[in-house]
Amino acid sequence: MPETAFHHTSHRVDIAAPAGVVYGLVADAVRWPLFLTPTVHVEALDLEGADQRLRIWALACDDVTSWVTRRTLDPAARRIDFRQEVPGPSEPGVTGSWVVEELPEGSSRLTLRSALPASATRTTPASWLERAEHDDLLALLADLKHLAERWATLDEHIVAVEETLRVDGPAELAYDFLYRIENWPAQLPRLTRLDLVEETPGIQQVRMDLLADDGRTHTARGVRVCFPHGGRIVYKLVEPPASTVAQAGEWSVEPDASGVTLRGRHQAVLRCPDGPSGTTPDTEPRTAPGTEPRTASGTEPRTASGGGAGPEVGRTLGRDSAVVLGLARRYAQSAVRVITPKP
């Protein structure tokens, strides 16, 4: 059997941050959707010690592709080796490594090396690096550099919001509302237009026009990955509002013995002070005037933020999440009342 030929690439960037900080950002792959532009979602399949098995969804040339990768972490050497799994054991996947070197005066160098099978085609997950290396990989390294060089205040620029709401109705109907985002404009006045593309079932690309308080229209673009059997929808705004550099989150439907809990989790990275300012962020999507409950439960949203614009961003995320969850509850409970016979 002939040996497989590989196409080798190497990209590196010098970063004005300690090597341990840079390594930590690369090692924490579950948070990549919040930190790295091409990454949409990372699902941890196995996190046993130094060995990890992850499923990754990412954008490459505006297409959403997915693969499973195995990683071996070596914190002492600040090195992470990875190998992508592909369908069919005879077909090799992409292999490579992340290496962080310590440089003088507290700086570091991050190198990403990869080996791509020369036979990889554009239709296989293994081709992602080949398609993305010129633009997306450079953007990825630039993201890591930007974040690492602001590591001392990074927590101050991360906002996290979680909203919950109890529902007395079928979990399937609540999930159906959250899934059918194309129907949202009819119920959300600020959502003036929504275009949905779902070429692969469960992978939704969304472009929507949102009406701001000042009357201006903001166009947002996002990707949603749907898990109907798990009652979850994760999303990332790949073109977020100007006040944030990244937004990601999850809608979940959690049935139990007494009912259903709807949960919305949202995270945003605020634009650093040296960046341009902008409007407050949107989840999916913003709410209409006069219809904004403080939260789904009538209390302040649970947020985590280090200050600055964080509180306002958190309030906006919480209010928007509450409205969507409230509409999902009304959809599920109204359907139950319609089909329930009168006594």
Side-chain angles (χ1 to χ4, degrees):
M1 185 175 181
E3 293 187 2
T4 301
F6 285 85
H7 172 61
H8 295 269
T9 66
S10 179
H11 298 78
R12 72 181 187 183
V13 62
D14 289 350
I15 302 174
V21 170
V22 177
Y23 176 84
L25 289 172
V26 177
D28 192 6
V30 174
R31 299 185 75 188
W32 279 8
L34 197 60
F35 294 150
L36 307 183
T37 300
T39 310
V40 173
H41 179 59
V42 177
E43 193 86 358
L45 304 179
D46 187 4
L47 299 177
E48 191 66 33
D51 295 322
Q52 298 180 339
R53 188 166 178 263
L54 309 169
R55 186 167 190 89
I56 300 174
W57 286 261
L59 277 170
C61 304
D62 289 331
D63 294 330
V64 181
T65 186
S66 175
W67 66 91
V68 175
T69 187
R70 291 184 179 272
R71 307 201 313 170
T72 300
L73 278 61
D74 186 345
R78 299 193 185 97
R79 179 187 179 103
I80 300 174
D81 296 317
F82 63 86
R83 175 175 61 85
Q84 292 184 6
E85 296 180 358
V86 292
S90 63
E91 184 181 357
V94 176
T95 61
S97 62
W98 298 88
V99 179
V100 184
E101 305 171 67
E102 189 171 358
L103 298 180
E105 300 181 356
S107 61
S108 57
R109 175 171 295 156
L110 173 62
T111 302
L112 171 59
R113 299 186 179 94
S114 62
L116 175 72
S119 60
T121 68
R122 292 180 61 87
T123 59
T124 64
S127 68
W128 178 76
L129 283 177
E130 184 179 40
R131 288 187 287 166
E133 62 182 355
H134 295 298
D135 296 323
D136 289 349
L137 285 184
L138 293 179
L140 185 152
L141 293 175
D143 287 344
L144 287 168
K145 174 181 172 67
H146 179 87
L147 289 162
E149 290 181 346
R150 291 154 179 78
W151 67 275
T153 59
L154 184 57
D155 286 345
E156 298 178 14
H157 294 93
I158 298 176
V159 177
V161 174
E162 180 174 333
E163 276 294 311
T164 60
L165 185 63
R166 291 292 291 176
V167 177
D168 184 16
E172 294 81 5
L173 290 179
Y175 179 86
D176 186 67
F177 177 86
L178 296 173
Y179 172 75
R180 297 184 184 278
I181 190 173
E182 70 273 18
N183 295 332
W184 290 9
Q187 302 181 62
L188 294 161
R190 287 207 182 189
L191 184 53
T192 60
R193 181 183 66 89
L194 188 146
D195 296 328
L196 171 67
V197 176
E198 189 172 356
E199 295 179 350
T200 301
I203 306 295
Q204 300 179 333
Q205 295 203 55
V206 178
R207 185 178 293 274
M208 49 192 172
D209 289 343
L210 303 160
L211 189 63
D213 291 336
D214 59 7
R216 292 184 299 176
T217 298
H218 167 72
T219 299
R221 187 166 70 96
V223 177
R224 307 194 338 152
V225 182
C226 306
F227 304 92
H229 297 297
R232 299 168 55 225
I233 298 173
V234 298
Y235 75 89
K236 176 175 180 174
L237 294 186
V238 296
E239 293 180 5
S243 60
T244 62
V245 295
Q247 287 188 44
E250 175 178 335
W251 307 102
S252 62
V253 180
E254 305 166 9
D256 55 42
S258 60
V260 176
T261 297
L262 302 184
R263 193 180 308 273
R265 297 186 182 93
H266 313 282
Q267 289 184 299
V269 179
L270 304 175
R271 194 169 296 279
C272 292
D274 56 350
S277 61
T279 58
T280 54
D282 301 288
T283 53
E284 292 183 323
R286 297 186 66 186
T287 59
T291 63
E292 299 175 336
R294 296 175 67 192
T295 69
S297 57
T299 60
E300 286 294 328
R302 288 184 288 171
T303 64
S305 167
E312 177 61 26
V313 169
R315 283 190 292 270
T316 301
L317 291 171
R319 287 194 301 265
D320 294 351
S321 181
V323 168
V324 172
L325 294 180
L327 289 170
R329 177 172 68 176
R330 186 175 68 182
Y331 179 81
Q333 295 184 166
S334 298
V336 171
R337 285 195 292 270
V338 168
I339 65 175
T340 299
K342 295 182 179 179

